[in-house]
Amino acid sequence: MAEIKVPELAESITEGTIAQWLKKPGDYVEKGESICELETDKVNVEIMAEESGVLQQLLANKGDTVAVGQAIAIIGEGAASAPPAPEKAPQLAEEPKPAVPVDRAEQPAPQPVAVAQAPGQRPIASPAARKMAREKGIDLTQVPTVDPLGRVRKQDVASFAAQPAAVPTAEAGKPVIREKMSRRRQTIAKRLLEVTQTTAMLTTFNEIDMSAVIDLRKRKKDKFFEEHDVRLGFMSFFVKAAVAALKKYPYVNAEIQGDEILLKKYYDIGVAVSTDEGLVVPVVRDCDRKNFAEIERDIAELAAKARSNKLSLADLQGGTFTITNGGVFGSLLSTPFLNGPQVGILGMHSIKLRPVAIDEERIENRPMMYVALSYDHRIIDGKEAVGFLKTVKDLIENPEDLLLES
């Protein structure tokens, strides 16, 4: 027998949540084969078996929080092990253990099943489970477990306690749905709250005439795709413009560490990507050294990985500045939150035709975009913030100048 434990993930990650089991008790697994998916604060990772054998027991349920180094399953040693024959499973129910119904032993699925207890029957439970149940006022006979023998463990009690109680709402009789926040959504909520409490965040706005970029993109996009096999979007223009502005205003590319300011002389730009499970910010590395095609290719690859849940922790770590585009969802104007410990984030928005005064006599309809820079006022003054955003505006409105900055 051998335990499968949660491996070391990253320095900042100490625990995760079992998102789903990919194998069930009785399944034969090969060394290196994934047995479960673990949801962490940043990405989902698959935990693999370190040796071949039969998965004998699951020590954690779907939805349980598990720590790095914690055992979550037991696997039989040796490749010669074989999955248990289905006809032998009822033998567990024939043993003098009234707490386990016959059909419970026939279920290989690792889903929690409430184990029926006879009236007055003392449930089978670990001392730690009993202690937690007493402290939380939980009836152990009501706690579901996946243990083949019906034993209630501490993590079963914790999972049961975390479930929302069925209590009357203020709107009695009205239909409601309660759902538990995913670990990622909890992390997003926690980090956004920390930003509001630990930074002096302020936002400044400007608007950009997108006519020149739209015209350039329209003229060059087909040739660009033929040569580089990637589409020319707006994001690469904003990434290159942001890099140029960061070089001019280096404190926007900094970080506060205690009573010191860490000025970063590299430009790893995070690009926010929306997924079904929430917003993630993969990082495009060394943007000052890459051309438009390389940036567009990196963004496309990272976005595809994000939406297929294939991002690695390395994809998300170490960004110096972030760009987010709420315009893809129709946002006209917003105040983006800082992506700590970064001190600046650029928000892009929808492109809308608006009447613009060209001079004292002429007004034309132009494709305009509002842009926003949120920044930490502790180290960035308003003058720098306005200057940064003005630099981005000037470069986007004169995209040829970006070639000189590349």
Side-chain angles (χ1 to χ4, degrees):
M1 296 290 183
E3 294 180 334
I4 297 177
K5 298 182 178 181
V6 179
E8 293 286 343
L9 301 170
E11 185 178 351
S12 61
I13 296 179
T14 59
E15 62 181 20
T17 300
I18 301 292
Q20 62 174 324
W21 283 102
L22 306 176
K23 298 291 182 180
K24 60 182 181 294
D27 284 353
Y28 182 81
V29 294
E30 294 283 355
K31 180 179 180 181
E33 189 174 4
S34 298
I35 65 163
C36 79
E37 184 178 352
L38 187 72
E39 182 184 12
T40 72
D41 295 344
K42 297 180 179 179
V43 294
N44 285 22
V45 295
E46 292 185 352
I47 296 180
M48 297 177 290
E50 296 184 357
E51 59 181 79
S52 300
V54 175
L55 191 60
Q56 303 288 352
Q57 185 180 359
L58 305 181
L59 304 179
N61 303 329
K62 177 181 177 181
D64 281 359
T65 296
V66 292
V68 169
Q70 179 178 335
I72 59 172
I74 295 177
I75 191 170
E77 295 182 355
S81 301
E87 62 272 12
K88 294 183 180 180
Q91 291 179 358
L92 288 174
E94 295 171 4
E95 297 178 4
K97 299 186 187 297
V100 185
V102 173
D103 60 349
R104 178 67 185 92
E106 295 172 350
Q107 280 190 328
Q111 298 301 319
V113 177
V115 179
Q117 304 288 344
Q121 173 68 44
R122 179 178 171 84
I124 305 172
S126 69
R130 292 187 185 280
K131 182 176 183 293
M132 179 177 288
R134 286 195 303 270
E135 293 173 349
K136 296 182 178 293
I138 294 174
D139 182 359
L140 282 173
T141 62
Q142 303 300 313
V143 178
T145 178
V146 296
D147 187 274
L149 300 179
R151 293 170 296 193
V152 179
R153 301 155 301 152
K154 182 179 179 181
Q155 53 262 49
D156 297 326
V157 178
S159 297
F160 184 80
Q163 295 176 3
V167 296
T169 63
E171 299 292 333
K174 299 293 182 70
V176 297
I177 296 176
R178 290 182 183 270
E179 59 179 43
K180 188 174 181 180
M181 293 172 67
S182 68
R183 170 172 287 274
R184 191 167 302 163
R185 178 53 60 184
Q186 292 179 51
T187 301
I188 292 172
K190 179 181 177 182
R191 293 192 66 186
L192 291 180
L193 186 60
E194 287 176 350
V195 166
T196 62
Q197 295 174 337
T198 61
T199 67
M201 196 178 83
L202 191 63
T203 305
T204 186
F205 303 93
N206 211 319
E207 61 178 354
I208 298 177
D209 185 344
M210 297 292 290
S211 300
V213 165
I214 291 174
D215 179 65
L216 178 61
R217 182 171 173 265
K218 186 181 299 183
R219 288 186 286 109
K220 300 293 186 180
K221 64 178 183 179
D222 292 338
K223 184 178 180 180
F224 187 89
F225 183 77
E226 290 176 5
E227 292 183 358
H228 304 291
D229 196 29
V230 65
R231 300 191 182 281
L232 178 62
F234 293 122
M235 186 59 78
S236 56
F237 287 93
F238 278 88
V239 169
K240 297 300 287 187
V243 169
L246 291 171
K247 290 180 177 180
K248 189 173 182 179
Y249 298 95
Y251 283 90
V252 186
N253 200 49
E255 176 183 332
I256 296 177
Q257 293 185 352
D259 59 356
E260 295 181 334
I261 298 174
L262 181 66
L263 293 169
K264 301 175 182 178
K265 308 308 289 184
Y266 57 95
Y267 305 90
D268 293 350
I269 308 299
V271 178
V273 177
S274 178
T275 70
D276 292 339
E277 297 182 1
L279 197 71
V280 293
V281 188
V283 179
V284 181
R285 310 288 175 184
D286 301 317
C287 291
D288 56 322
R289 303 177 185 177
K290 291 180 177 177
N291 58 33
F292 283 77
E294 291 170 326
I295 291 173
E296 290 288 357
R297 188 175 295 110
D298 284 355
I299 292 173
E301 291 176 356
L302 290 169
K305 289 172 68 176
R307 295 184 177 114
S308 61
N309 229 358
K310 299 298 182 183
L311 284 174
S312 67
L313 292 172
D315 292 327
L316 299 168
Q317 295 175 331
T320 64
F321 183 80
T322 294
I323 301 177
T324 181
N325 185 6
V328 296
F329 304 109
S331 173
L332 183 63
L333 188 64
S334 66
T335 302
F337 269 86
L338 292 173
N339 181 23
Q342 298 170 22
V343 295
I345 181 171
L346 177 66
M348 301 165 55
H349 299 91
S350 294
I351 301 173
K352 299 291 185 182
L353 279 177
R354 292 200 295 272
V356 176
I358 305 302
D359 53 35
E360 293 182 355
E361 298 180 354
R362 292 182 301 154
I363 295 179
E364 295 182 3
N365 286 332
R366 295 289 182 92
M368 304 297 294
M369 175 194 287
Y370 288 123
V371 287
L373 175 73
S374 291
Y375 59 98
D376 193 336
H377 209 351
R378 290 180 298 169
I379 64 170
I380 301 172
D381 294 331
K383 180 180 178 181
E384 290 176 298
V386 171
F388 177 95
L389 210 51
K390 180 67 163 52
T391 300
V392 171
K393 169 185 171 67
D394 291 343
L395 288 171
I396 296 296
E397 291 184 343
N398 299 278
E400 291 81 2
D401 292 346
L402 283 173
L403 298 177
L404 300 178
E405 297 289 342
S406 301

